[in-house]
Amino acid sequence: MLGWFRKLRSLGVVGLNSRNAGYVLPHNPRPLYPLVDDKITTKRLTESAGLNVPELYGIFRSQHELKRLPELLERHDSFVVKPARGAGGNGIMVITGKLGHSFRKPDDSLVSAESISFHILNILSGMYSLGGMPDRAMVEYCVQFSPVFRDIAYQGVPDIRIIVYKGVPVMAMLRLPTRESDGKANLHQGAMGCGIDMHTGMTTTAVWKNAGCDTHPDTLNPIGGVAIPDWRELLKQAALGYTVTGLGYLGVDIVLDKTQGPLILELNARPGLAIQVANRAGLRHRLDSVDAVHQSLETEEQRIDYAMEAFAS
Amino acid sequence: MNSLQLKLLVSLLLLTGLGIFGYKAFVLGFPLTPEEQTRTWNVEARVSFEAQDSPVKATLQTLNRLPRFVVTDEYFISDDYGLLRGMQAEDGSGLTNDTDAENAIAVWSKRSAKGKQDLFYSARLRPENNSDDRTWVHPTDIPRLVDPQFTPAEQAAANSLLTKVGSESADIETFVPHLMQLLMPPSDNTDAAYLLRGHPGRLGAVNMAVRLLHFSGIPAQSVHGITLSTSNNAPLSHWLELYHDGAWHMFDVTQGAFGTPGDFVPWWRGNAPLASLKGGDNLEVTLSVAPVSVSSLKNTVEQLNITEPAIMGFSLFNLPVQAQATYRVILLIPIGALLLVFLRNVIGFSTFGTFMPALIALSFRETELLWGVCLFSIVIILGLSVRLYLEHLKLLLVPRLACVLIVVVLLMAGISVVSFKLGFPRGISVSLFPMVILSMTIERVSVMWDEMGAGKAIQQIIGTMAVAVLAYLAMSNQYIEHLTFVFPELFLVLLALTMMTGRYTGFRLLELIRFRALLKR
């Protein structure tokens, strides 16, 4: 067993304890957390800095504001309802279309307007927020995901997670929902994780349920070699996340929209570690090399150049 | 800097905690395990006599400083006698203030008494836990020799006897046994027989031996006492004590050998009688001995209350009994917390809430493990179905939580009534505490059920239960409970360990599974 620990260490794998003590605690000062914990704040912040985010249709702060809901539902056919302070993708309701008086979810089930209203009420009472604090609900643009991943995605929205350390993107992963993950992009729940080559933006290796895998389990198409368009722009958006928040160790979740290109969905002050499994590489060596040079990297462009050069696989 | 600070703090905490712990355990003698029983002895002397309607004065030798024992709980029971306590020299001459005098006596007196009188003296003997330290020893000044006051004829007999014994022995170790052999009745040595005339019995022989030893220049005295074994009429036995080579040696007259007595308790020394009486007849003293088993903890605490009240003044034992009982439970929470820290940060378990398992474990203490797990499972399953049904009614969060709470209370009341009816008394052992925890658990489980699916929720419940059971086992362990309550300073050690775990940046055990895909290459 000690041998396994040693092997993990030599691979440069970062564990939870080491992530918290070595990166999250020293580089993410607690006062900065509200910037990313509250998605409404994040949205305002990123919008004003010129980052692409999904358009915000409305915010519900209290129960009586719900009377604005019918009018909002009238205007939009597809949208996403989410808690401002939710964590881990909890409490997100996606509506993809209308069918008479009902609304359609991605899995083609129908919900009524009352269900949506009830869901918002649950969000307001703090059911999905950290620590059960009263929360706000936001309704925003539902991403029309880009056909790039048509062959390798099943339901749900594939997203790209990029770890940004001191402003330098160090590792990226494409998360593909599967039938088993029920449209969710969380690896724990059976989504598929694909490593991405930092230089070319092409998918490389993939893991599904903790085992290497070459094809998507539902569509049976090969995973590797899919090029992500506008890769450099994507990295730039991620690196801007650092400029905007000041968080030294940051996870940036980006989705590719059919028409709007990359949209930042979420910033995460304590991103998970599954990205290492997807890339079949440890984070430690990359983080160490950033530590060595980050003083000399002043602009986003320099950081991205460095990342694309240094972390090519 | 920070790391240095932490190291210093951790070592300071460890040193302080372990230091106090070691002092209490090994110097003060607090027991390390809970059910260590020490035998203490109740000793009672009953003095009875016939008073002659005149002033009465009765003197009784009482227990004094004894090696290996502490005398506590001394009672002098006498209706309306005046009581005087004091010290007496070995030769039995009067009361003295000299603290070097080895005998303590009690003097009961009364202006006038008539008829049968009963006076009692009782005492408790507690063994000392740490014999090296406080064992009472004889005064070290070299005892003076006393003139044995022999008549010329006795002197001749003594001389002849001592010459005979001296020629047959090589040193003091052989001299004394030989001498005692000749003196012990019935003696066939004519010198011995002459010397012992008028001094019958073993007491006479011992007293004569003391005089003869003084005569030959060896300081000696007789020791009278009892053997600790249950008895209503304990016989007095007499030992010889002699000073030789700078130390006192005990000589067992009945065994005819030197040795430190094991269960012999010296009551008094010298040639004074056990009791004496003025103004009465038929003086009779009965000694009785009975063992009492007390926990060594109680023994230590009571003993320290007598010898070192300052230390005991700042201890949990000083609190009212009910507060002590509460602290016995409260002090266990940090144990559960440390276990939880270990299971989460080193092993990598994930549980509902941070300290929920510790709280569940605490409520298991009230219900007992098996029944607690059953009760929790039943109530969680039923409560969860109710909660899922309430979902259909589209109630708001807080009212729904209240509904779940009400249903849990009803369920638990129902279970209690039914199980009592069926004859399982455990069913009613639930109390306020588990109720709240159950409702919170049900709510958390149901949110997770919605979000992550049934499989994940059940997995989490089982994980939480497993951690709770582990925490319960640690928290209900009587050794741990004993250690935390008797040695609360161990929490400094606990704090140090927790701080050290807080700096553990290595992999968690379950991360081996998480990263197993990386290991396969």
Side-chain angles (χ1 to χ4, degrees):
Chain A
M1 199 155 71
L2 279 178
W4 295 339
F5 280 130
R6 212 169 293 132
K7 182 165 181 201
L8 280 185
R9 198 167 303 130
S10 72
L11 285 171
V13 174
V14 174
L16 265 182
N17 290 328
S18 148
R19 178 201 74 180
N20 292 341
Y23 302 103
V24 172
L25 276 175
H27 301 302
N28 293 353
R30 196 75 220 182
L32 297 181
Y33 273 49
L35 300 183
V36 292
D37 279 350
D38 189 324
K39 293 193 185 70
I40 296 174
T41 317
T42 314
K43 200 173 276 282
R44 273 198 209 109
L45 204 67
T46 44
E47 257 176 343
S48 60
L51 276 95
N52 303 335
V53 289
E55 187 194 339
L56 186 63
Y57 294 156
I59 301 174
F60 294 92
R61 294 181 187 80
S62 61
Q63 207 169 334
H64 73 265
E65 288 187 350
L66 272 174
K67 56 179 181 281
R68 289 198 285 105
L69 184 67
E71 179 241 343
L72 194 144
L73 297 181
E74 192 70 31
R75 268 193 286 126
H76 303 287
D77 280 352
S78 70
F79 52 87
V80 177
V81 183
K82 51 166 83 165
R85 301 175 64 88
N90 288 352
I92 295 177
M93 183 187 243
V94 182
I95 300 296
T96 53
K98 255 185 230 168
L99 207 74
H101 288 293
S102 299
F103 296 85
R104 201 170 60 219
K105 296 217 279 189
D107 58 359
D108 289 335
S109 66
L110 295 176
V111 293
S112 61
E114 291 89 79
S115 294
I116 298 172
S117 162
F118 180 61
H119 186 75
I120 293 177
L121 278 175
N122 273 340
I123 292 174
L124 292 181
S125 54
M127 185 160 161
Y128 305 104
S129 74
L130 298 161
M133 307 258 286
D135 201 357
R136 285 166 296 172
M138 51 203 280
V139 180
E140 64 177 24
Y141 171 73
C142 178
V143 174
Q144 310 294 313
F145 71 90
S146 155
V148 182
F149 305 121
R150 199 182 43 228
D151 292 340
I152 52 169
Y154 178 86
Q155 294 184 340
V157 183
D159 72 358
I160 296 157
R161 153 69 58 91
I162 302 177
I163 302 280
V164 181
Y165 182 55
K166 297 185 176 171
V168 182
V170 288
M171 201 178 265
M173 154 173 81
L174 174 68
R175 294 189 296 191
L176 298 169
T178 62
R179 188 196 302 273
E180 188 157 326
S181 77
D182 197 21
K184 289 182 173 139
N186 198 325
L187 259 58
H188 291 303
Q189 292 166 37
M192 200 171 189
C194 315
I196 300 176
D197 176 10
M198 290 298 283
H199 186 70
T200 59
M202 297 244 273
T203 54
T204 54
T205 53
V207 276
W208 185 53
K209 298 208 278 183
N210 246 309
C213 195
D214 294 330
T215 55
H216 190 276
D218 301 317
T219 67
L220 298 179
N221 288 316
I223 296 291
V226 177
I228 294 165
D230 276 340
W231 180 240
R232 197 185 162 86
E233 175 59 22
L234 220 86
L235 289 181
K236 191 177 167 190
Q237 292 277 324
L240 274 170
Y242 165 73
T243 320
V244 167
T245 60
L247 289 166
Y249 186 78
L250 187 68
V252 183
D253 290 350
I254 299 175
V255 286
L256 292 183
D257 189 77
K258 198 153 55 178
T259 52
Q260 303 183 23
L263 295 177
I264 294 192
L265 267 195
E266 201 174 320
L267 300 179
N268 201 325
R270 33 180 78 221
L273 297 165
I275 196 167
Q276 301 176 106
V277 183
N279 279 281
R280 299 193 194 168
L283 269 168
R284 173 98 54 204
H285 304 314
R286 298 190 182 188
L287 297 172
D288 286 347
S289 51
V290 171
D291 272 328
V293 298
H294 86 276
Q295 297 287 4
S296 60
L297 304 171
E298 279 156 15
T299 65
E300 273 109 35
E301 295 297 332
Q302 282 173 330
R303 292 188 191 123
I304 290 155
D305 285 339
Y306 177 77
M308 292 176 82
E309 282 311 308
F311 306 136
S313 51
Chain B
M1 175 58 204
N2 255 341
S3 162
L4 180 71
Q5 224 172 60
L6 185 85
K7 276 178 195 151
L8 283 176
L9 191 59
V10 164
S11 21
L12 188 74
L13 286 172
L14 280 178
L15 276 178
T16 321
L18 289 176
I20 300 176
F21 169 73
Y23 177 71
K24 280 172 76 172
F26 302 114
V27 180
L28 296 185
F30 281 94
L32 290 171
T33 50
E35 73 277 73
E36 249 178 44
Q37 294 280 324
T38 311
R39 272 161 95 80
T40 65
W41 297 87
N42 272 340
V43 180
E44 190 180 86
R46 170 183 169 175
V47 182
S48 53
F49 55 88
E50 293 281 345
Q52 297 161 334
D53 202 6
S54 61
V56 181
K57 181 176 163 190
T59 310
L60 177 74
Q61 301 280 356
T62 61
L63 291 166
N64 190 20
R65 300 166 290 186
L66 316 173
R68 295 173 295 108
F69 286 98
V70 176
V71 182
T72 61
D73 311 323
E74 276 185 302
Y75 298 105
F76 299 85
I77 300 149
S78 54
D79 280 342
D80 41 5
Y81 277 78
L83 175 68
L84 203 62
R85 299 178 63 190
M87 304 302 287
Q88 194 186 39
E90 289 81 52
D91 57 4
S93 54
L95 280 170
T96 157
N97 283 329
D98 183 4
T99 45
D100 278 347
E102 291 183 8
N103 295 329
I105 56 166
V107 182
W108 282 286
S109 52
K110 197 177 181 185
R111 175 59 64 193
S112 159
K114 195 173 182 204
K116 180 135 172 67
Q117 307 286 317
D118 281 307
L119 305 170
F120 293 92
Y121 162 71
S122 89
R124 178 169 285 194
L125 297 182
R126 299 179 182 282
E128 272 181 327
N129 303 49
N130 36 343
S131 44
D132 336 327
D133 201 44
R134 254 200 310 281
T135 295
W136 173 80
V137 286
H138 290 278
T140 44
D141 8 325
I142 299 164
R144 63 201 155 84
L145 288 169
V146 187
D147 181 8
Q149 295 175 332
F150 286 135
T151 61
E154 282 173 332
Q155 211 160 16
N159 262 328
S160 135
L161 188 69
L162 289 172
T163 316
K164 177 178 160 54
V165 175
S167 69
E168 286 170 4
S169 60
D171 50 15
I172 202 100
E173 267 99 57
T174 48
F175 178 83
V176 180
H178 270 115
L179 178 66
M180 282 319 296
Q181 223 166 24
L182 294 177
L183 283 176
M184 285 301 276
S187 179
D188 50 4
N189 183 292
T190 46
D191 295 319
Y194 175 69
L195 286 169
L196 287 172
R197 74 193 192 295
H199 304 286
R202 202 164 282 169
L203 177 61
V206 171
N207 281 338
M208 182 50 67
V210 171
R211 287 169 77 187
L212 284 168
L213 285 167
H214 275 270
F215 185 61
S216 52
I218 303 166
Q221 63 189 14
S222 52
V223 181
H224 320 277
I226 49 173
T227 305
L228 287 177
S229 66
T230 314
S231 162
N232 282 328
N233 191 2
L236 275 175
S237 52
H238 310 283
W239 286 52
L240 202 58
E241 208 173 30
L242 53 120
Y243 189 83
H244 169 60
D245 277 353
W248 284 97
H249 302 273
M250 296 280 278
F251 182 79
D252 187 346
V253 176
T254 42
Q255 302 283 329
F258 280 97
T260 309
D263 47 3
F264 171 77
V265 172
W267 194 298
W268 83 101
R269 293 184 160 78
N271 43 17
L274 173 58
S276 61
L277 178 68
K278 265 187 210 160
D281 285 327
N282 299 333
L283 173 67
E284 220 175 296
V285 184
T286 328
L287 303 175
S288 56
V289 181
V292 192
S293 279
V294 296
S295 75
S296 21
L297 179 63
K298 200 164 167 246
N299 184 34
T300 310
V301 169
E302 289 180 7
Q303 193 183 306
L304 282 176
N305 269 327
I306 294 159
T307 52
E308 284 175 68
I311 289 177
M312 296 309 291
F314 294 96
S315 106
L316 289 171
F317 294 105
N318 236 15
L319 294 174
V321 177
Q322 199 169 8
Q324 284 193 28
T326 311
Y327 268 102
R328 274 185 187 272
V329 179
I330 290 177
L331 290 178
L332 288 170
I333 298 178
I335 300 285
L338 177 67
L339 188 75
L340 214 65
V341 165
F342 181 78
L343 287 175
R344 286 175 68 107
N345 270 32
V346 179
I347 306 294
F349 270 98
S350 63
T351 55
F352 283 122
T354 314
F355 290 105
M356 191 70 97
L359 294 178
I360 294 178
L362 212 56
S363 49
F364 279 168
R365 275 179 57 90
E366 296 184 29
T367 56
E368 288 194 1
L369 186 59
L370 195 63
W371 171 246
V373 172
C374 291
L375 184 80
F376 262 57
S377 313
I378 294 171
V379 176
I380 284 182
I381 290 169
L382 292 178
L384 208 56
S385 19
V386 171
R387 161 69 176 72
L388 291 178
Y389 171 70
L390 291 176
E391 181 85 333
H392 285 291
L393 301 182
K394 309 247 182 257
L395 301 183
L396 293 179
L397 178 72
V398 180
R400 188 175 59 217
L401 206 60
C403 288
V404 172
L405 186 70
I406 293 168
V407 169
V408 167
V409 172
L410 282 175
L411 280 175
M412 289 178 80
I415 288 173
S416 291
V417 169
V418 170
S419 66
F420 187 68
K421 201 83 182 153
L422 292 178
F424 304 116
R426 285 249 67 91
I428 50 172
S429 68
V430 290
S431 61
L432 194 64
F433 192 49
M435 213 104 80
V436 179
I437 293 176
L438 272 172
S439 325
M440 284 166 68
T441 313
I442 288 170
E443 188 57 31
R444 273 174 182 277
V445 173
S446 56
V447 169
M448 179 161 274
W449 195 291
D450 286 353
E451 290 294 325
M452 310 273 232
K456 194 79 186 168
I458 290 168
Q459 197 184 322
Q460 283 266 40
I461 297 173
I462 293 172
T464 306
M465 278 296 203
V467 175
V469 168
L470 284 178
Y472 167 80
L473 290 180
M475 288 161 74
S476 62
N477 184 301
Q478 51 172 336
Y479 287 96
I480 291 178
E481 185 180 330
H482 172 85
L483 285 178
T484 53
F485 187 71
V486 180
F487 305 101
E489 62 276 3
L490 285 179
F491 282 108
L492 297 180
V493 178
L494 214 63
L495 191 59
L497 289 179
T498 313
M499 282 180 176
M500 270 149 63
T501 325
R503 271 301 177 91
Y504 173 71
T505 59
F507 294 105
R508 300 175 182 179
L509 199 60
L510 292 182
E511 280 179 337
L512 283 182
I513 297 172
R514 190 172 170 197
F515 293 126
R516 66 184 181 277
L518 286 165
L519 284 170
K520 269 181 210 144
R521 278 190 318 168

